[in-house]
Every structure is written in C-alpha cells, then in structure tokens.
Amino acid sequence: MIKKTRETFGSTFGVIAAAAGSAIGLGNIWKFPYITGEYGGAAFLVVYLIFIAAIGLPIMLAEFVVGRKGKRNAFGSFKRLVPNSWWRYIGYLGVASAFIILSYYGVVAGWALKYVVASATGILHNMSSGQILGYFREFTTSPFEPLIYQILFMFITGLVVIVGIKKGIEKYSKILMPLLLVIIIILDIRAVTLPGAGEGLKFLFYPDFSKLTSEGVLQALGHAFFSLSLGMGVLITYGSYVKRKNNLMKTASEVTIADTLIALLAGIAILPAVFAFGVEPGAGPGLVFATLPNVFQQMTGGMVFSVMFFVLLSIAALTSSISILEVAVAYFSEELKMKRKLATIMATILATLLGIICSLSFGILGDYKLFGKNFFDLLDFIAANVLMPLGGMFIALFVGWVFGKRRTKNELEYGGHINKLLLNGLIFLLRYVAPIAILIVFLNGIGFFEIVKNIWFKCNG
Ligand code: TRP
C-alpha cells in the first residue's frame, strides 16, 4: 500500500493562529461581554476563568492528544486508537455537530458581511434607533438578501479550506488573527477614551456577587466550552495536523489565553461605548446589529469604526467556520475516500443548504416551530446544549479512562516535559471533574432540572 504523507501545519505560530482562530468567534464578541456584565462582572469572570483552566484547558488537551496520536479525522482517530470499539461514534457526534453549527453560523456571519457593506455605504449612519432596529428586522426576515450574503460567506469559507491545511487554513489564519488583534485594540482605544466610558468598564469588571446566580455559574461553564470550540472534533482534527515537535500543553495554554484575552478586549471595546451613549446593552444579535450601530452613529469617526467592527466580526466568524468545515472535509476525504476538492465542495454545499433553511426560519418559514423554537434556534439548541456537551464529556472520559495516563504522558512529553503533579491533576480532572460538571450543564441545558423542580412542587403542593 502506498502511504500518502498527511499534511501538517508548518509552524508553531500557524498551529496557534489556526486553533485560536477557531476558538475566537462570534461567541467572544457578542456573548461574552454581555453575560459577564449580566451575571456580576468580575464575580462571573472569576468563575469563568476557573472553568476555563480546570475544565476547558484539560478537554482541549484531550482533543489535541487524541488527534495527534490518532492522526486522522475526528471519527478515524478514535477508530485507530481503539479499533472495533464504540468510542468511534463520538467522532460521528463531532461531524454531525460540525454540520449543524456551520449551517447557522454561516447565516449570522452573512449578516456581519452585510453590515460591513451597510456601514461602508453609510446607510446606517443617518437612521434613528427605531429605524436601525427596523432595518435589521427587515433584512433578516427578507427571503433573498440574507441568502446572498450567507452563500458568499460559505463560498469564502470553502475557498480557504479547499486548498488545504498549510496553504489554506494556516496561511489565512496567520494573516487574519493578527489583523483581528489590531482592529480590536484600535476599537478598545476608541472606547475607553470616550467620556463616560467608566460606567461600561464598571459593568464589566466591578464584582457584584449578588448577581452571580446558579444560572450564571452554569452559563459560565457552558460558555467556556462553546468559546474554546470544544466537544465537536475541531481540535481533534486540527491536532491531527500538529507535528510531534510541538508541545501540546504549551499550545493549548496559549490558545486558551488568546481566546480569553480577545473576549475581554471585546468587552472593553463594546460596553464602555454602549454606556457612554446611554444605550441599553442588549444580548446576542440585538447587541451587535441593533445596539452598536446607534453607538457608532453618535461617535466621532463612527463610520470608520463601524466598518472596522463588522470586519472584525466577519474575520472572527471566518476563522471559526473554516475549522468547522475542516472537520467535515477531513471526515469525507479520509473515511469516505473522497478527493479533498470534492469533499470540500460537498460539505460546503450541504451546510449551505441547511443554512438556507435556518435563514428562512426568521422570515417565511417562521411559522414552522418545534418545541416552540424556529429552525435556527432549534439547531443552535441541539448543537450547543446537547451535542457539544456530550461530545466533550465523552472525550474527557475517553482520555481519562481508556487512553489512560501513560499514553497521555507520552504524547504530552514530545517537545517538553510534564511534571507528575500536573499530569495526575490533568487525569483527575478528565476522569471526574470535567464529566460531572458537564453532565450538570447538560441536564440544565435540556431543561431536566426544571422538570424535576416542577414534579417536586406538584408532589409537595
Ligand atoms: N468558539 C466559537 C465562538 O466562540 C464557536 C464554536 C463553537 C465553534 N464550536 C465551534 C467554532 C467549533 C468553530 C468550531 O464563536
């Protein structure tokens, strides 16, 4: 049999740029700042950082270890490490969640592209806040225009992935991630120099423990997970392209730090500006597409900053979406033996089609609901609340119990030394702490505790 050499990342910086590119996404920019303020600022931050370090980082390492040792896609890596066992189906879970996330991610990323255009042409600049909200609603519910931008975004994602790891994903991540950092720093400087910026910084950093509810704690873990792109085979897939000379512990730590830092910088860019102009910070899409344009409009040089912001959002989305697409492409090409080109085209088209349904579910398909959710919300729910936690939990259990300490140690010692205490701590976290914590978040996410509470109240009058 001819053994084809598998592609690898060319440099250590390339690995970090690509993996951080995956982690740094829409979640960092529109979700993190808001939930931090909402659940008590620095109080929430402390909990978030603990989860990032104690659960996020170990699972990221576990994914890297499985990928680099398995040297295959998310499914194939398990298959090679433990032939004939059911663990390989965790890989399916990953590929399935990749399609789901990619489809709805592409829709929102399309909105970001649209807003680059809308900011640059100045349309948004002379509108009242009611008009801005109306513009957003009209755009997202219209049947055609959002599809054009979504398809354009998916096309760009496909173009990057089709050329491969080194010449595609790595090359563009190495350009786009530093650019993202520069843009966010410029926006930060603008935000903190606005008169009245202090309120926003206070909202973000002042510790208010009374706002840190149990829901907030669960949100912190859930978001730590989402933000690091865990539990769906992305880091297994990327890990499989990492060379042996790379120290995985160092890489994972750097990626985690980069992700957290950008989330904080996004908070510093957004919240002071929102407060300085006395606008209510909203959550999610509303914050970015309906609140921020109001802010930019009132700011000196707002048009330029507005364009920069939406370019930032588009870049963050692009480097994430290429990593999700790669999960599917690696699976198609290695397991189903497709040529990489064909695999990319197929996967892109499939995710785009699914995304079109998501996009239309804001407008003409809005009446079709399941469990009270439209198609977009349903996919988001399935991926973020069901598939990702399950994937992450199984990966932790797999490395903790099946792959085991000795082999993990071997893998982590390429390119470095890992001390015994750290290794034992890591295995302990993977075996017990992470699976239990994730299980709790999972049960909460699917509404299990609500049901139990209702039953309890019924039984006790
Ligand atoms: N981490 C991304 C963000 O913060 C979202 C995300 C979750 C993701 N899982 C992923 C991105 C998998 C790429 C691959 O927005």
Side-chain angles (χ1 to χ4, degrees):
M1 205 173 89
I2 310 164
K3 224 173 150 202
K4 268 209 316 209
T5 47
R6 217 163 163 273
E7 260 210 283
T8 58
F9 284 114
S11 68
T12 310
F13 176 63
V15 175
I16 292 167
S22 171
I24 296 165
L26 298 170
N28 297 57
I29 295 170
W30 84 29
K31 190 144 182 224
F32 176 83
Y34 171 74
I35 53 174
T36 304
E38 178 76 6
Y39 293 112
F44 175 88
L45 203 57
V46 171
V47 177
Y48 181 76
L49 291 178
I50 292 173
F51 285 146
I52 284 276
I55 295 171
L57 182 62
I59 295 184
M60 182 183 288
L61 260 178
E63 290 204 23
F64 275 153
V65 164
V66 168
R68 190 168 68 178
K69 187 73 192 167
K71 289 261 177 302
R72 284 284 177 284
N73 58 85
F75 174 83
S77 287
F78 284 106
K79 203 169 73 176
R80 274 181 103 192
L81 293 180
V82 279
N84 303 323
S85 96
W86 62 270
W87 285 101
R88 73 178 80 173
Y89 296 111
I90 306 172
Y92 276 147
L93 219 62
V95 178
S97 16
F99 268 112
I100 293 178
I101 292 216
L102 186 55
S103 62
Y104 72 80
Y105 218 73
V107 174
V108 183
W111 298 352
L113 284 184
K114 159 78 186 177
Y115 272 62
V116 173
V117 178
S119 316
T121 51
I123 300 177
L124 292 169
H125 213 66
N126 297 315
M127 287 186 184
S128 68
S129 71
Q131 284 171 322
I132 290 177
L133 189 63
Y135 180 82
F136 176 59
R137 293 236 170 91
E138 200 174 308
F139 167 66
T140 50
T141 53
S142 76
F144 294 114
E145 213 192 342
L147 301 188
I148 297 172
Y149 287 96
Q150 178 219 350
I151 292 170
L152 175 66
F153 179 83
M154 294 300 293
F155 182 73
I156 300 172
T157 303
L159 278 187
V160 173
V161 172
I162 207 164
V163 279
I165 306 306
K166 228 180 257 170
K167 288 199 191 120
I169 295 177
E170 179 172 0
K171 182 174 146 196
Y172 290 100
S173 301
K174 272 162 62 177
I175 301 169
L176 293 172
M177 294 319 285
L179 181 62
L180 176 137
L181 184 66
V182 171
I183 297 180
I184 210 166
I185 289 175
I186 296 175
L187 292 171
D188 276 335
I189 295 173
R190 171 71 271 199
V192 297
T193 51
L194 288 167
E199 267 309 295
L201 291 175
K202 203 169 142 202
F203 185 72
L204 191 59
F205 291 116
Y206 180 79
D208 183 350
F209 284 93
S210 69
K211 280 162 105 190
L212 185 63
T213 54
S214 58
E215 180 59 31
V217 174
L218 292 174
Q219 284 269 353
L221 182 55
H223 188 68
F225 217 74
F226 184 82
S227 191
L228 293 174
S229 304
L230 302 175
M232 42 184 292
V234 168
L235 298 165
I236 296 180
T237 309
Y238 273 11
S240 74
Y241 305 123
V242 175
K243 286 184 184 145
R244 278 236 171 120
K245 67 174 200 282
N246 275 57
N247 178 340
L248 290 182
M249 180 65 108
K250 194 160 167 269
T251 307
S253 308
E254 285 166 358
V255 171
T256 306
I257 292 171
D259 183 64
T260 312
L261 202 69
I262 295 289
L264 285 171
L265 290 178
I268 297 172
I270 293 173
L271 294 172
V274 168
F275 279 87
F277 294 106
V279 190
E280 261 303 294
L287 171 65
V288 175
F289 297 105
T291 308
L292 284 182
N294 280 306
V295 171
F296 290 126
Q297 200 183 55
Q298 299 174 51
M299 190 187 269
T300 333
M303 224 166 112
V304 178
F305 292 112
S306 177
V307 174
M308 279 183 152
F309 178 81
F310 288 107
V311 169
L312 168 82
L313 202 60
S314 308
I315 293 176
L318 180 63
T319 50
S320 294
S321 69
I322 57 181
S323 76
I324 325 181
L325 182 58
E326 180 60 29
V327 173
V329 170
Y331 172 77
F332 279 3
S333 60
E334 288 173 352
E335 301 304 318
L336 310 181
K337 309 280 177 249
M338 280 182 197
K339 287 240 160 50
R340 186 175 174 94
K341 280 211 171 83
L342 181 67
T344 311
I345 294 169
M346 286 267 301
T348 309
I349 291 179
L350 260 167
T352 307
L353 290 177
L354 205 58
I356 288 177
I357 305 177
C358 283
S359 181
L360 295 178
S361 76
F362 287 101
I364 53 175
L365 299 181
D367 289 337
Y368 296 93
K369 290 200 167 144
L370 208 61
F371 307 116
K373 291 181 184 343
N374 69 14
F375 194 65
F376 182 101
D377 292 334
L378 190 69
L379 290 194
D380 179 32
F381 179 81
I382 295 174
N385 291 12
V386 182
L387 298 176
M388 287 176 67
L390 285 182
M393 187 172 77
F394 285 125
I395 288 164
L397 290 170
F398 176 78
V399 173
W401 295 98
V402 181
F403 192 70
K405 190 159 124 184
R406 189 181 46 81
R407 286 196 282 177
T408 303
K409 176 172 185 282
N410 285 345
E411 201 54 41
L412 293 181
E413 290 213 312
Y414 293 117
H417 172 73
I418 177 160
N419 81 40
K420 209 164 158 210
L421 197 66
L422 201 60
L423 180 70
N424 287 338
L426 176 71
I427 296 293
F428 178 77
L429 290 170
L430 288 175
R431 282 189 174 175
Y432 306 102
V433 181
I436 294 171
I438 297 170
L439 187 67
I440 295 172
V441 170
F442 170 69
L443 292 176
N444 181 61
I446 60 170
F448 179 78
F449 295 131
E450 269 309 298
I451 297 169
V452 173
K453 216 160 60 189
N454 286 342
I455 294 176
W456 197 85
F457 277 126
K458 259 195 200 127
C459 292
N460 293 279

